[in-house]
Every structure is written in structure tokens, then in C-alpha cells.
Amino acid sequence: MIDAVTASMKIVIVTDDGKAVDIATRGRHDPCVGIRAVPVGEAMLACVLADHYLRHRGQVGGGWQP
């Protein structure tokens, strides 16, 4: 069985000139992005919260008061 993460694929593509060219992927290409979804979601939420805080501060004035 071939590991899907490290398997390389050869693909034949056609250039703008009409020439057939072989290309091959090399390296580790992870087919599952699910394990990266949590950190990406956390970073996106942090950006959204910071944006809302700055918009609120721009309209109301002042800073955050605990």
C-alpha cells in the first residue's frame, strides 16, 4: 500500500504552445486539512474580535476598561 501523503503523481499537461509536458509532485503533500482547521479557526476568530474591538473604540472612543 502506498502512503497517500508521500505518493508522487506524474501528470501530463499541455502548454500554451500545444506541447505535452510531464510534471511530477515532490515532497509531502497532506491530503487532509482537517487537522489544521482548529488553529485556522482560532486565528480567524482572534482577527475578527480584534477588528470589532478597534471599530468599537473608533466610534465610542477610549480604550478597554476592565
Side-chain angles (χ1 to χ4, degrees):
M1 184 169 146
I2 298 174
D3 186 13
V5 175
T6 57
S8 64
M9 272 176 70
K10 289 190 177 183
I11 302 172
V12 178
I13 63 168
V14 178
T15 63
D16 293 335
D17 301 334
K19 298 177 184 175
V21 178
D22 292 336
I23 62 170
T25 58
R26 290 185 297 248
R28 296 182 61 87
H29 302 282
D30 194 358
C32 179
V33 297
I35 56 176
R36 289 171 184 72
V38 173
V40 169
E42 288 176 351
M44 189 181 309
L45 179 63
C47 289
V48 168
L49 291 176
D51 184 50
H52 281 280
Y53 167 71
L54 292 173
R55 285 175 181 254
H56 177 72
R57 191 176 79 175
Q59 289 193 359
V60 176
W64 179 69
Q65 309 248 337

